[in-house]
């Protein structure tokens, strides 16, 4: 499968933009080779600029739960565009989208729309610090919450270690109040609260992790997160940018039955256009400017085109919930990948919640970043390119979740499973069966 057009397009792009991309996740750094340039997409399929078709399991990293170019979403955006693209003044569409979010997510009584998941988490952290008057925030290794300076920290060596920057340009002062713990580590969380409890403004976490591959929280960890934050009067921020409207219409919190203090959203709430959101208890959101004094603003927040796409997407998910079908197709894919790797004799595990899942090239359950980072990424790269050659487009990193959309048909899943069986068989034969 030659991508001559992508090769030339990438050469041009690298002259113009750092790494030739506008987000590093797209650069194929985790699998080597060059990214594929997309011409258009429809339903479950991407079409590259050389005319190759791929069954898409990235879905723009989550937003495209209905599939690409859904007629209702396209029509809503076209209609909105004809009426003007941005006014810098309030519109009823913003209230419509806010109402859909509030009705869907039990813990959200008031919400503020922003333009990305990063803006949502950055603002939620500022609000938590403003509301509590405290400085320290807790995050977990392998959880990604966008490129928020104070969250770009290396994993601390122990519960007592406050963060050090893991990116140039992030100052020690920015990360000195960030504590990085291991996901699913209840004892570590307890020690952190013992040591820093009165200074902790918030704990932010992914309720189903997508950003170290798919990792599921234990019930004990969820109980500790809720119990310890309440006991120490810290806020629990549930980052549902990826899981919101993905694993259930009400997000992971509705699936697992807990109510965080603040929730961040993105991806699906914009239906592929730039929308992020943060919301929660009215008494907390009351502190956001101009009602309160925690500053946050944005020229294009609640943009008419983005809200139109978000409204059309959420209405469709509410009125014709695809979750039973997504569960069936995703289970078919997960079992097929698991079976293919088992038949090939390749050490692996599969983790899944709803229509987000990961095939890990490691021989044990992935419970946190220390396990996930031990996965065989070289083998993952061979698997990735083998599937590309056979027309299935997986996330270009072992440390990402794949997504199934409502547009994926049983025959698409079967084709991908067949391709995986061939690729994994070749990998195994080449490696002498281990
Ligand atoms: P954005 O700023 O990229 O809209 O959202 C940041 C973000 C926040 N929280 C969670 C749980 C997220 O998964 C993300 C973004 N996810 C990545 C993919 N794992 C976006 C892909 C990219 O960076 O290009």
């Amino acid at each position: 499968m030659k991508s001559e057009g992508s090769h030339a397009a990438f050469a041009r792009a690298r002259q113009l933009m750092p790494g030739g991309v506008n987000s590093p996740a797209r650069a194929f750094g985790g699998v080597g080779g060059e990214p594929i340039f997309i011409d258009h997409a429809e339903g479950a399929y991407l079409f590259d600029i050389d005319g190759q078709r791929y069954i898409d399991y990235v879905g723009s990293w989550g937003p495209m739960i209905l599939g690409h170019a859904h007629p209702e979403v396209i029509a809503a955006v076209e209609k909105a565009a004809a009426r003007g693209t941005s006014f810098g003044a309030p519109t009823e569409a913003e209230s419509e989208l806010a109402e859909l979010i509030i009705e869907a997510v039990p813990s959200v009584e008031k919400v503020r729309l922003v333009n990305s998941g990063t803006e949502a988490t950055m603002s939620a952290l500022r609000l938590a610090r403003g509301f509590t008057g405290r400085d320290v925030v807790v995050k977990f290794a392998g959880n990604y919450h966008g490129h928020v300076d104070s969250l770009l920290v290396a994993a601390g060596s122990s519960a007592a270690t406050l963060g050090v920057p893991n990116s140039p340009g992030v100052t020690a002062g920015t990360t000195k109040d960030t504590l990085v713990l291991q996901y699913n580590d209840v004892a570590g969380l307890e020690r952190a609260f013992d040591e820093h409890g009165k200074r902790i403004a918030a704990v932010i976490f992914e309720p189903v992790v997508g950003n170290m591959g798919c990792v599921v929280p234990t019930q004990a960890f969820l109980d500790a997160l809720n119990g310890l934050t309440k006991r120490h009067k810290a806020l629990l921020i549930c980052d549902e940018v990826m899981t919101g409207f993905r694993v259930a219409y009400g997000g992971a919190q509705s699936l697992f039955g807990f109510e965080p203090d603040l929730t961040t959203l993105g991806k699906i709430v914009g239906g592929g256009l730039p929308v992020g959101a943060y919301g929660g208890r009215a008494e907390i959101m009351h502190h956001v400017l101009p009602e309160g004094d925690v500053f946050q603003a944005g020229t294009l927040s609640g943009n008419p085109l983005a809200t139109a796409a978000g409204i059309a997407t959420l209405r469709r998910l509410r009125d014709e919930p695809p979750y039973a079908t997504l569960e069936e197709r995703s289970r078919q894919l997960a079992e097929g990948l698991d079976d293919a790797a088992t038949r090939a004799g390749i050490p692996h595990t599969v983790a899944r919640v709803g229509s987000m899942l990961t095939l890990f090239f490691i021989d044990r359950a992935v419970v946190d970043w220390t396990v996930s980072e031990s996965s065989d990424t070289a083998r993952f790269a061979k698997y990735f390119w083998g599937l590309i050659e056979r027309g299935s487009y997986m996330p270009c990193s072992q440390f990402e979740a794949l997504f199934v959309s409502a547009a994926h048909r049983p025959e698409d899943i079967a084709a991908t499973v067949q391709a995986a069986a061939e690729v994994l068989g070749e990998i195994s034969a080449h490696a002498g069966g281990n």
Side-chain angles (χ1 to χ4, degrees):
M1 192 176 273
K2 279 280 155 266
S3 298
E4 297 308 326
S6 286
H7 178 68
F10 190 47
R12 175 183 177 222
R14 276 182 310 190
Q15 301 303 314
L16 303 166
M17 297 166 281
V21 293
N22 287 302
S23 192
R26 309 176 196 162
F28 281 26
V31 292
E34 297 185 345
I36 294 166
F37 278 62
I38 303 304
D39 175 68
H40 68 284
E42 188 181 352
Y45 311 120
L46 294 172
F47 298 85
D48 74 15
I49 59 175
D50 293 291
Q52 301 286 356
R53 191 197 82 163
Y54 305 89
I55 305 169
D56 178 25
Y57 293 95
V58 176
S60 182
W61 302 99
M64 310 320 295
I65 191 168
L66 296 179
H68 291 286
H70 189 284
E72 289 169 21
V73 176
I74 299 302
V77 174
E78 285 175 342
K79 185 167 173 237
R83 303 163 61 87
T85 55
S86 184
F87 314 128
T91 63
E92 291 187 285
E94 293 159 81
S95 301
E96 181 62 36
L97 183 53
E99 207 162 61
L100 282 161
I101 292 169
I102 290 165
E103 282 169 2
V105 186
S107 64
V108 175
E109 296 174 343
K110 272 204 166 175
V111 66
R112 167 61 61 87
L113 303 178
V114 293
N115 299 282
S116 69
T118 297
E119 272 193 71
T121 57
M122 174 179 68
S123 307
L125 285 176
R126 184 182 311 132
L127 173 58
R129 285 169 157 157
F131 177 76
T132 61
R134 297 176 179 181
D135 297 344
V136 174
V137 295
V138 176
K139 77 169 294 276
F140 299 94
N143 283 213
Y144 174 67
H145 306 290
H147 58 97
V148 186
D149 272 7
S150 60
L151 299 183
L152 294 180
V153 284
S157 56
S158 77
T161 311
L162 287 167
V164 291
N166 70 1
S167 164
V170 175
T171 64
T174 312
T175 58
K176 68 178 177 52
D177 292 321
T178 308
L179 210 47
V180 186
L181 307 180
Q182 287 302 329
Y183 197 78
N184 278 325
D185 179 3
V186 172
L189 189 61
E190 286 167 344
R191 281 197 303 277
F193 271 99
D194 288 345
E195 189 134 355
H196 302 279
K198 294 213 177 337
R199 298 177 55 217
I200 296 176
V203 177
I204 186 168
F205 78 116
E206 290 184 58
V208 177
V209 187
N211 289 290
M212 52 173 145
C214 184
V215 173
V216 188
T218 63
Q219 189 55 52
F221 186 57
L222 288 173
D223 293 345
L225 285 165
N226 281 282
L228 287 167
T229 49
K230 279 181 181 45
R231 192 180 320 150
H232 292 271
K233 297 189 177 14
L235 298 189
L236 183 60
I237 302 175
C238 189
D239 181 356
E240 299 231 39
V241 166
M242 187 180 284
T243 54
F245 301 95
R246 165 63 62 182
V247 298
Y249 189 64
Q253 60 190 272
S254 71
L255 209 56
F256 296 146
F258 68 92
E259 291 208 3
D261 299 294
L262 290 174
T263 297
T264 53
L265 295 164
K267 297 180 191 280
I268 291 172
V269 290
L273 269 69
V275 178
Y278 66 101
R281 298 205 319 261
E283 66 166 322
I284 302 173
M285 294 303 290
H286 165 71
H287 288 259
V288 179
L289 206 71
E291 202 171 297
D293 50 9
V294 175
F295 188 82
Q296 184 266 309
T299 302
L300 297 176
S301 298
N303 170 276
L305 273 61
T307 49
I311 290 164
T313 300
L314 296 198
R315 278 181 178 161
R316 179 77 190 201
L317 291 171
R318 178 195 65 189
D319 299 344
E320 296 186 40
Y323 298 99
T325 306
L326 285 171
E327 180 61 25
E328 175 53 31
R329 300 273 188 283
S330 305
R331 189 184 53 73
Q332 180 193 355
L333 178 61
E335 289 178 356
L337 294 175
D338 185 27
D339 183 52
T342 301
R343 289 171 187 276
I346 290 179
H348 70 285
T349 56
V350 176
R352 177 177 76 85
V353 177
S355 56
M356 60 189 278
L357 66 106
T358 299
L359 169 65
F360 287 101
F361 287 88
I362 192 166
D363 60 356
R364 58 197 183 284
V366 180
V367 295
D368 63 23
W369 176 238
T370 58
V371 181
S372 178
E373 69 177 338
S374 313
S375 302
D376 186 336
T377 52
R379 186 161 272 183
F380 176 87
K382 291 192 185 88
Y383 159 78
F384 172 83
W385 283 110
L387 283 180
I388 287 284
E389 288 301 314
R390 291 166 175 80
S392 285
Y393 188 90
M394 290 293 172
C396 52
S397 167
Q398 170 71 94
F399 309 121
E400 294 285 357
L402 73 80
F403 301 101
V404 179
S405 84
H408 284 78
R409 299 166 306 163
E411 49 269 40
D412 298 315
I413 305 294
T416 299
V417 167
Q418 174 57 35
E422 292 169 13
V423 173
L424 294 167
E426 284 175 10
I427 290 171
S428 176
H430 184 76
N434 60 34

